[in-house]
Amino acid sequence: MPETLTITDNRTGKQYELSIQDGTIRAMDLRQIRTGPQDFGLMTYDPAYMNTANCRSAITYIDGDKGVLLYRGYPIEQLAEQSDYLETAYLILFGELPTAAQLQTWTREITLHTMLHENIKKLMEGFQYDAHPMAIFLSTVGAMSGFYPDAKQIFDKASRLRQMHRLIAKVPSIAAWAFRHSIGRPYVYPDNDLSFAGNFLNMLFKMTELKYQANPVLVRALDVLFILHADHEQNCSTSTMRNIGSSHVDPYSALAGAAAALYGPLHGGANEAVLRMLHEIGSVAKVPEFIKKVKSGEGNNRLMGFGHRVYKSYDPRAKVIKRIADLVFTVTGKNPLLEIALELERIALQDEYFIARKLYPNVDFYSGLIYQAMGFPVEMFPVLFAIPRTAGWIAQWEEMLLDPEQKIARPRQIYTGPASREYVPREKRA
Ligand code: ACO
């Protein structure tokens, strides 16, 4: 079977043969299809990149129909069961699981970079008391560009590695301080005796005790949530990271943009919407009535935390999260909204409307319940997402930089405005 596509241009009667590689044709191959020398050539129109591959990537693989998610070939379920976040971040960034010695060096480097410059602290203190922690987070990450001018050496491998250490290590500190700022408590400095997740909980929740030791079940739960959120191939924030990075700006500036994309309710805010929905439903008895409303389209209600652009079966991350939720609730006590969530899922999974549309719980269906039970306000949810996704963003950024096929991102447009016209002096305008 020839791996080619034959196109007949009915405007000219000409035929073209384009090669097909990896199930794709190259959009630039269409440019030769022209009606005459003045014609720019054929383009594709693909708002929201619904069917356009923008890169080759060896980092994350998703099979949405089968519910498969692999980081560098390793199934997410196995990583969630056996790995920890720092090891998974190493895997995502460097392509292989670390040896014991590599992991030790990596962990030491990350631990050495957890402190923030005192002037960063001052910058964070300048925010209003009610500033959204995600606004503080993304501004502070952007400001780091000014603190680490060596980050501009993006084609220097050692410099890139230094920024990776800094970013992975410092985002929990920034996130925790953004939280402490929003509740008016003093910032807590990192404790390097603790694990990555344990130290994060320390910086969030330490009060007057000399040493803060979080419950190990909660530390592990948070670490697994970090593993699950570390990368998810070319989503809105990741392609933002690649797009900004393609201008060869430093990684802090690019990551601030990626975090801004994640801030939006269509991306990082869905678990908050799940909680709002569960509150609105209010009780298990009201679940059937709510499902009826969703199906009829009344009030534009959707079953939040259900459905996914890519997954057309159970999101593999949601399965892991459901197990984690049970563990967390043994420590924190059950989130009263859990019963409503379980009943919603039970009914939806048997209902023809949801079955026919392949709507299953996604990663956000249970994560908000866990975060809430652990004491996080909803404003912190996107920040909790940004901490582990930093690993994915940097890995994708570096892959883009080193890909000889990549250039500055610059899409085309179909111009719909007026044709060229003469400027009209102000006094002559109607
Ligand atoms: N509840 C009810 N019906 C739904 C839902 C839902 N959650 N999701 C999709 N549908 C229906 C649509 O109404 C549509 O029905 P129709 O064919 O009768 O018109 C059909 O299923 C297909 O829906 P689309 O909107 O075309 O699917 P798309 O792939 O564009 O949307 C999305 C995916 C945005 C995630 C959607 O399922 C949704 O809004 N879900 C709820 C929000 C949510 O949980 N988002 C988190 C995603 S995970 C993440 O971002 C980390």
Side-chain angles (χ1 to χ4, degrees):
M1 190 169 68
E3 287 285 297
T4 60
L5 175 74
T6 304
I7 297 178
T8 306
D9 185 347
N10 293 322
R11 299 171 302 176
T12 59
K14 278 198 196 155
Q15 270 205 348
Y16 302 84
E17 192 161 319
L18 310 188
S19 74
I20 298 176
Q21 204 187 349
D22 302 317
T24 52
I25 57 162
R26 284 187 175 258
M28 277 305 285
D29 284 353
L30 297 172
R31 191 69 74 75
Q32 60 181 308
I33 304 178
R34 305 196 298 174
T35 50
Q38 300 308 319
D39 186 354
F40 179 77
L42 205 62
M43 294 193 302
T44 54
Y45 177 57
D46 189 11
Y49 306 118
M50 296 282 288
N51 196 37
T52 295
N54 172 45
C55 61
R56 293 179 170 276
S57 182
I59 301 170
T60 293
Y61 174 80
I62 302 175
D63 183 332
D65 289 330
K66 296 199 184 109
V68 171
L69 170 60
L70 313 175
Y71 293 159
R72 303 282 189 183
Y74 293 102
I76 192 71
E77 297 83 354
Q78 290 181 24
L79 292 167
E81 189 70 35
Q82 296 172 63
S83 184
D84 59 44
Y85 169 67
L86 277 189
E87 181 184 70
T88 299
Y90 183 100
L91 169 71
I92 287 175
L93 284 158
F94 305 109
E96 295 296 337
L97 286 168
T99 62
Q102 285 168 331
L103 184 60
Q104 201 183 15
T105 309
W106 172 243
T107 307
R108 194 184 59 238
E109 285 296 342
I110 300 299
T111 311
L112 286 176
H113 283 93
T114 49
M115 292 282 283
L116 298 176
H117 194 291
E118 281 298 293
N119 285 349
I120 288 190
K121 187 172 151 191
K122 285 188 199 146
L123 178 117
M124 296 178 81
E125 280 167 352
F127 279 90
Q128 290 283 67
Y129 73 94
D130 57 352
H132 195 291
M134 195 61 177
I136 303 180
F137 179 87
L138 70 92
S139 319
T140 308
V141 169
M144 280 165 74
S145 163
F147 285 81
Y148 303 109
D150 62 318
K152 290 188 173 37
Q153 313 302 321
I154 54 169
F155 290 108
D156 179 285
K157 195 175 173 189
S159 167
R160 281 202 309 273
L161 184 63
R162 220 165 26 251
Q163 314 321 323
M164 282 177 196
H165 291 146
R166 285 181 178 143
L167 271 164
I168 304 260
K170 291 184 199 304
V171 286
S173 312
I174 297 173
W177 287 11
F179 169 68
R180 300 284 292 201
H181 185 86
S182 67
I183 54 170
R185 289 202 182 135
Y187 303 162
V188 176
Y189 286 89
D191 180 345
N192 287 350
D193 291 342
L194 300 173
S195 68
F196 187 84
N199 172 49
F200 178 51
L201 289 170
N202 159 63
M203 290 187 291
L204 287 163
F205 298 127
K206 186 168 185 282
M207 296 298 281
T208 53
E209 62 274 56
L210 288 179
K211 190 147 187 95
Y212 181 89
Q213 296 272 13
N215 185 303
V217 173
L218 301 186
V219 174
R220 177 63 192 156
L222 193 60
D223 205 57
V224 173
L225 285 162
F226 283 171
I227 294 173
L228 299 180
H229 286 90
D231 194 50
H232 211 234
E233 53 120 303
Q234 309 311 314
N235 49 74
C236 179
S237 56
T238 302
S239 32
T240 302
M241 181 84 193
R242 280 177 173 264
N243 262 7
I244 300 179
S246 77
S247 74
H248 292 178
V249 73
D250 67 86
Y252 301 101
S253 303
L255 209 131
L262 187 68
Y263 192 2
L266 294 187
H267 192 6
N271 46 13
E272 181 181 344
V274 172
L275 284 190
R276 255 189 277 115
M277 172 188 76
L278 296 175
H279 272 296
E280 198 185 303
I281 297 172
S283 73
V284 170
K286 295 202 176 133
V287 168
E289 190 190 324
F290 182 78
I291 297 251
K292 214 162 125 191
K293 263 199 222 162
V294 168
K295 285 163 48 178
S296 66
E298 189 190 324
N300 269 336
N301 274 324
R302 281 202 163 190
L303 186 45
M304 296 313 288
F306 260 66
H308 197 275
R309 172 61 58 76
V310 182
Y311 293 116
K312 299 302 170 197
S313 72
Y314 214 105
D315 180 338
R317 299 168 300 173
K319 273 190 204 155
V320 178
I321 286 190
K322 205 173 162 186
R323 275 205 311 276
I324 302 277
D326 288 337
L327 278 179
V328 168
F329 297 149
T330 58
V331 176
T332 61
K334 228 179 222 170
N335 188 325
L337 299 174
L338 177 69
E339 298 300 338
I340 304 174
L342 287 170
E343 181 65 1
L344 268 179
E345 181 184 343
R346 191 187 67 78
I347 298 187
L349 290 181
Q350 300 171 0
D351 191 296
E352 196 39 43
Y353 176 95
F354 297 93
I355 295 170
R357 289 168 180 78
K358 299 189 176 169
L359 300 170
Y360 296 89
N362 61 46
V363 68
D364 289 319
F365 193 63
Y366 289 105
S367 63
L369 289 176
I370 301 180
Y371 292 145
Q372 195 182 49
M374 287 175 78
F376 291 107
V378 286
E379 294 76 26
M380 276 299 283
F381 292 1
V383 182
L384 293 167
F385 195 152
I387 293 171
R389 186 53 61 86
T390 294
W393 287 331
I394 315 171
Q396 301 267 352
W397 165 76
E398 187 178 52
E399 186 175 59
M400 178 274 305
L401 281 182
L402 302 181
D403 180 347
E405 279 204 296
Q406 291 292 342
K407 288 171 183 259
I408 186 164
R410 195 346 179 150
R412 292 278 169 186
Q413 65 166 9
I414 301 171
Y415 178 66
T416 59
S420 175
R421 47 184 172 165
E422 292 298 317
Y423 180 79
V424 182
R426 261 173 232 171
E427 61 281 8
K428 291 201 176 154
R429 286 177 217 159

